[in-house]
Amino acid sequence: MATINTTTTILETKLIHPSQPPFTGDHTLSLSHLDNDRNLRVSFRYLRAYVANHINLNHPFHVISAAIAVALSRYYPLAGTLRRRADNRLELFCSTNLSLPVIHAQVDCTLESVNFVDHDVDPDFVEVLVPDPDQETGLVNPCVLQVTVFKCGGFTLGAAIYHALCDGMGATQFFNVAAEVARGVEIEKVSFHPVWDRTGLLGPRDVPRAEGPVREFLRLDKEYEPYSEGVGDVVVGREGFEVNDECLDELKKVLFDESGGKNFTTFEALGAFIWRAKVKAAEIPGQESVKFAYSVNIRKVVKPPLPTGYWGNGCVPMYAQLSAEELTNQPLWKTAESIKKSKINVNDDYVRSFIDFQELHYVDGITAGKNVSGFTDWRHLGHSTVDFGWGGPVTVLPLSRHLLGSVEPCFFLPYSSAKAGQKDGFKVQVTLSKKALPSFSEEMSKFSNKEFDI
């Protein structure tokens, strides 16, 4: 088998300015309390992979750079600079000469030769396709993009976006607008028109009050830093596992029978199985508390609903909580039921209490603590709608290692559409310490063999 040359060369970094000046004077924009959640002080990193076609012969870097410039006339905060206030919350400073860096790179291999960056690809190679700013650089340039063109004419668009500025749905809104512009749509006629009003729409109540389950899951600790569990000598690895429909359906059927007729979603059933497998592999002491964390889109939950163009953080974390001993010893359907029951908390009161808790206790150090397992489902988020003129991306791949206070995130991901029909189901990407990976892989092998240890 021939060696694949995946050497990536950076050709230039271009600073993209808005095509039309969006304002006339330097100013500062406030962020919401959701934006200022301490768990969001990270850059989320991911890439989209696009195959070449014989219709669009334009150069991807030039097309995307020009489209980004036009989109920035509306979404100029992405080119601003985040800075800390006296109370340690973040705000966004926007100057008249703001710009967004776009890196132009090339690699001397085809997308197909690296499996459309979908699976069985060198993780070190994938990492260089996406910018990786450190904490301070992420504040100065909260959005950094990289267009890497492959030998075949296909390309990847890598993004590193500081999470305090927006979430994945907000970023996708921006990319969709840029993509429409790239396809020839005038900026006045694009599908989305951005709404900023962060503090007005998601500010605390006149008399802040944090009630209900928010206080059950969050605690105060000025000394605890989010993601500090990942600091030190722990070597972390990222692995992908296949989930075929037959095994998943069998797991759901067994849980239905064992629970006396309760139906569980894929997220609840498989999430319970993986959560248990991760905690087992990590050998967490039985008396310690462990949390299953996931985000809930609250754009239509809050009253009134957020406007369509709102592109700030529009999700809140939800938790299921057990002791490690409970999780590893109780019937699996009970764990799935714990995840299901946690969804009952998703309402306007929970969101307002979460915001008020941030208002009342931000300076006290809000945290969910350690032993948090972050889960997110990317199968239906609309990432594949971003079409710059080459069709939608065939692969969307997250590279973030920090999610919802967890240093070991788990993503549910669709297979690359470049190989549509070759596999059923979807894939799971997990980040774990390398010490725990063998044990976790053994548990996932049991899943593939329908040995569920119910």
Side-chain angles (χ1 to χ4, degrees):
M1 184 188 229
T3 302
I4 300 170
N5 182 7
T6 57
T7 302
T8 304
T9 304
I10 303 295
L11 301 178
E12 66 172 313
T13 298
K14 187 175 182 180
L15 296 179
I16 307 298
H17 300 272
S19 60
Q20 297 291 328
F23 53 86
T24 56
D26 295 355
H27 61 280
T28 300
L29 296 173
S30 297
L31 300 177
S32 76
H33 284 1
L34 295 190
D35 298 326
N36 264 305
D37 182 347
R38 295 170 78 212
N39 286 332
L40 303 188
R41 294 205 170 183
V42 293
S43 292
F44 63 89
R45 304 171 59 237
Y46 63 116
L47 64 81
R48 293 178 170 90
Y50 295 84
V51 296
N53 64 42
H54 300 297
I55 299 173
N56 191 343
L57 301 180
N58 295 309
H59 196 285
F61 177 75
H62 302 313
V63 170
I64 293 173
S65 295
I68 293 295
V70 176
L72 281 178
S73 66
R74 299 291 181 88
Y75 292 84
Y76 70 86
L78 283 163
T81 296
L82 290 162
R83 62 188 186 185
R84 295 178 181 87
R85 304 188 326 195
D87 62 1
N88 204 36
R89 287 188 171 96
L90 296 175
E91 62 184 8
L92 188 73
F93 176 68
C94 301
S95 69
T96 52
N97 65 341
L98 47 66
S99 62
L100 187 156
V102 180
I103 301 165
H104 180 196
Q106 67 179 20
V107 60
D108 194 28
C109 68
T110 66
L111 265 175
E112 185 174 15
S113 70
V114 290
N115 295 310
F116 304 95
V117 292
D118 183 42
H119 63 93
D120 296 333
V121 58
D122 181 0
D124 292 333
F125 168 62
V126 174
E127 286 289 337
V128 301
L129 300 178
V130 181
D132 190 13
D134 59 28
Q135 179 70 8
E136 291 305 313
T137 303
L139 294 174
V140 174
N141 292 306
C143 179
V144 185
L145 307 179
Q146 178 175 325
V147 178
T148 305
V149 182
F150 286 68
K151 189 176 181 180
C152 57
F155 63 95
T156 56
L157 174 60
I161 302 175
Y162 204 79
H163 212 327
L165 194 55
C166 62
D167 57 17
M169 293 186 70
T172 297
Q173 183 187 130
F174 164 70
F175 285 125
N176 269 317
V177 167
E180 287 186 78
V181 169
R183 299 197 311 272
V185 179
E186 296 177 7
I187 189 65
E188 294 79 12
K189 298 179 180 178
V190 294
S191 300
F192 297 97
H193 299 283
V195 175
W196 179 267
D197 189 14
R198 306 286 176 103
T199 54
L201 293 168
L202 291 175
R205 288 172 283 203
D206 292 339
V207 180
R209 56 189 189 278
E211 303 166 325
V214 165
R215 289 190 173 276
E216 296 175 27
F217 303 128
L218 301 177
R219 61 187 177 86
L220 305 177
D221 186 347
K222 284 186 177 181
E223 303 303 319
Y224 187 81
E225 285 294 325
Y227 311 114
S228 58
E229 286 179 278
V231 177
D233 298 327
V234 178
V235 179
V236 176
R238 185 188 295 120
E239 292 287 339
F241 299 89
E242 297 181 356
V243 176
N244 68 55
D245 291 337
E246 183 180 344
C247 292
L248 184 59
D249 290 343
E250 181 65 20
L251 173 63
K252 289 182 181 179
K253 180 180 181 302
V254 171
L255 294 181
F256 178 86
D257 293 341
E258 291 294 322
S259 65
K262 298 179 187 294
N263 285 306
F264 298 104
T265 66
T266 293
F267 189 72
E268 294 157 359
L270 186 61
F273 185 91
I274 292 174
W275 185 24
R276 183 182 67 180
K278 289 180 70 176
V279 170
K280 274 186 179 180
E283 298 180 344
I284 296 172
Q287 73 277 10
E288 291 194 13
S289 175
V290 293
K291 293 185 178 77
F292 179 105
Y294 60 100
S295 283
V296 174
N297 181 4
I298 54 89
R299 288 166 171 82
K300 295 182 179 179
V301 171
V302 292
K303 300 174 183 176
L306 296 178
T308 303
Y310 188 83
W311 60 285
N313 283 284
C315 296
V316 294
M318 302 297 297
Y319 303 92
Q321 180 173 272
L322 297 167
S323 71
E325 183 176 26
E326 282 178 301
L327 176 60
T328 54
N329 292 338
Q330 73 179 8
L332 189 63
W333 70 265
K334 286 193 173 183
T335 301
E337 186 175 49
S338 294
I339 298 170
K340 179 184 285 290
K341 285 182 175 179
S342 70
K343 296 178 181 179
I344 296 172
N345 297 321
V346 183
N347 54 43
D348 183 68
D349 283 340
Y350 179 87
V351 177
R352 301 300 173 185
S353 286
F354 184 88
I355 292 170
D356 286 355
F357 196 73
Q358 298 282 338
E359 169 71 8
L360 295 167
H361 297 293
Y362 186 82
V363 296
D364 301 318
I366 301 170
T367 177
K370 62 178 184 176
N371 299 332
V372 177
S373 294
F375 286 77
T376 188
D377 191 343
W378 275 33
R379 292 175 300 154
H380 312 293
L381 286 185
H383 290 298
S384 60
T385 61
V386 180
D387 174 8
F388 291 96
W390 286 265
V394 295
T395 305
V396 180
L397 183 69
L399 297 182
S400 298
R401 296 186 185 275
H402 295 154
L403 175 76
L404 296 165
S406 170
V407 296
E408 297 183 344
C410 176
F411 294 87
F412 292 8
L413 302 168
Y415 287 119
S416 172
S417 61
K419 297 190 174 183
Q422 296 182 23
K423 294 180 179 179
D424 65 15
F426 57 96
K427 61 186 178 181
V428 168
Q429 178 180 285
V430 299
T431 301
L432 279 172
S433 71
K434 292 222 171 160
K435 179 182 176 183
L437 270 174
S439 175
F440 180 81
S441 297
E442 185 178 333
E443 292 294 317
M444 292 306 294
S445 293
K446 290 181 181 178
F447 173 85
S448 298
N449 294 323
K450 303 178 186 175
E451 300 170 4
F452 303 127
D453 290 341
I454 298 301

